[in-house]
């Protein structure tokens, strides 16, 4: 049996123990749980599905998809433009900062390895960061190392959605709280929708790119002023 060469890179890139601090962000979920709008497994499932279907599809995953294409073409100018647009589309300060922190930490890890040093687009991207010509947003850096690792675009998007789902469900289980088995049941149910979301993200509709998700943005803004907080966003 021949194992795909990109499998190891994919597993490393999406490892839940990767020290980039993803577990410290709830992306506004902590707000709605404190407001008692989510207090059981079915409500958490609906919320995470809505975030994926109405937010991530048209925002982070769409920009990841477009960045992947631009990186494959070694088009740094397009990557920089996409990153600037993604940054501007995040109206909540915590969301912008979270994406920047995750992206820069991911870059710090993978930039030490030979694949990065042998990739012209990775070197150009890092130079642009040093010269403050671009930003280091998480979906773009994720796309960069997916391309470098030879991970097919569809697999990259599937893993990105799965990581988002897993992180949100894990945080919801802790905050509500729910049992670990409840959390796994939610992940299994949501996995059934990932193929549809990936299909939408493979060729994003420019008219929907960065579509506003006002309620999710408000939750993120309200998070800054919660009386108690376990998460950074």
């Amino acid at each position: 049996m021949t194992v795909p060469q990109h499998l190891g890179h994919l597993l490393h890139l999406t490892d839940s123990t990767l020290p980039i601090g993803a577990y410290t962000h709830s992306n506004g979920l902590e707000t709605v749980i404190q407001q008692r709008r989510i207090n059981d497994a079915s409500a958490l499932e609906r919320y995470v599905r809505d975030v994926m279907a109405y937010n991530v599809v048209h925002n982070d995953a769409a920009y990841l998809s477009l960045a992947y294409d631009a990186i494959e073409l070694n088009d740094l100018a397009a990557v920089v433009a996409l990153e600037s647009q993604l940054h501007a589309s995040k109206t909540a300060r915590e969301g912008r900062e979270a994406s920047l922190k995750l992206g820069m930490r991911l870059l710090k890890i993978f930039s030490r390895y030979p694949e990065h040093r042998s990739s012209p687009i990775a070197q150009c991207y890092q130079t642009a960061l040093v010269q403050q010509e671009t930003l280091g947003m998480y979906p773009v850096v994720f796309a960069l190392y997916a391309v470098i690792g030879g991970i097919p675009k569809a697999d990259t998007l599937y893993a990105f959605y799965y990581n988002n789902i897993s992180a949100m469900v894990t945080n919801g289980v802790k905050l509500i709280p729910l049992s670990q088995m409840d959390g796994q049941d939610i992940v299994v149910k949501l996995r059934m929708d990932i193929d549809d979301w990936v299909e939408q993200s493979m060729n994003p509709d420019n008219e929907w790119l960065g579509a506003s998700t006002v309620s999710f943005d408000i939750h993120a803004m309200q998070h800054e002023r919660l009386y108690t907080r376990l998460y950074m966003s």
Side-chain angles (χ1 to χ4, degrees), residues 66-185:
L66 294 170
Y68 187 104
D69 294 340
I71 292 162
E72 279 200 313
L73 296 171
N74 291 310
D75 189 346
L76 181 65
V79 174
V80 171
L82 285 167
E83 196 159 62
S84 177
Q85 189 175 347
L86 171 59
H87 184 266
S89 72
K90 291 185 176 293
T91 54
R93 178 184 62 83
E94 284 190 352
R96 290 194 303 274
E97 292 182 353
S99 187
L100 289 168
K101 288 176 181 177
L102 295 178
M104 292 305 295
R105 288 169 184 164
L106 193 64
L107 186 73
K108 184 176 181 180
I109 293 170
F110 284 99
S111 64
R112 300 175 301 126
Y113 301 130
E115 295 92 338
H116 176 95
R117 293 194 293 271
S118 63
S119 168
I121 187 67
Q123 292 297 307
C124 291
Y125 181 77
Q126 189 157 16
T127 299
L129 279 170
V130 171
Q131 296 176 350
Q132 298 185 339
E133 296 171 353
T134 196
L135 299 160
M137 302 289 281
Y138 178 61
V140 174
V141 179
F142 194 99
L144 174 66
Y145 288 113
V147 173
I148 290 173
I151 304 170
K153 184 176 176 181
D155 292 355
T156 300
L157 287 164
Y158 191 103
F160 187 76
Y161 278 112
Y162 183 87
N163 263 20
N164 274 272
I165 289 168
S166 179
M168 290 194 71
V169 170
T170 297
N171 292 342
V173 165
K174 293 176 181 177
L175 288 166
I176 292 174
L178 299 173
S179 73
Q180 293 294 333
M181 295 301 288
D182 283 334
Q184 293 307 303
D185 290 345

Side-chain angles (χ1 to χ4, degrees), residues 191-206:
R191 265 177 33 205
M192 299 173 65
D193 295 318
I194 296 179
D195 284 341
D196 289 339
W197 298 329
V198 169
E199 185 175 353
Q200 292 181 64
S201 301
M202 287 294 289
N203 296 289
D205 185 339
N206 285 331

Side-chain angles (χ1 to χ4, degrees), residues 19-57:
I20 61 174
Y23 67 93
T24 65
H25 300 281
S26 81
N27 298 303
L29 178 61
E30 189 169 21
T31 300
V32 289
I33 290 176
Q34 282 203 27
Q35 293 172 346
R36 301 189 182 281
R37 295 167 59 188
I38 295 179
N39 53 22
D40 59 25
S42 61
L44 178 61
E45 178 191 338
R46 288 195 301 272
Y47 185 83
V48 176
R49 179 177 284 109
D50 285 349
V51 170
M52 296 301 120
Y54 302 116
N55 186 341
V56 177
V57 163

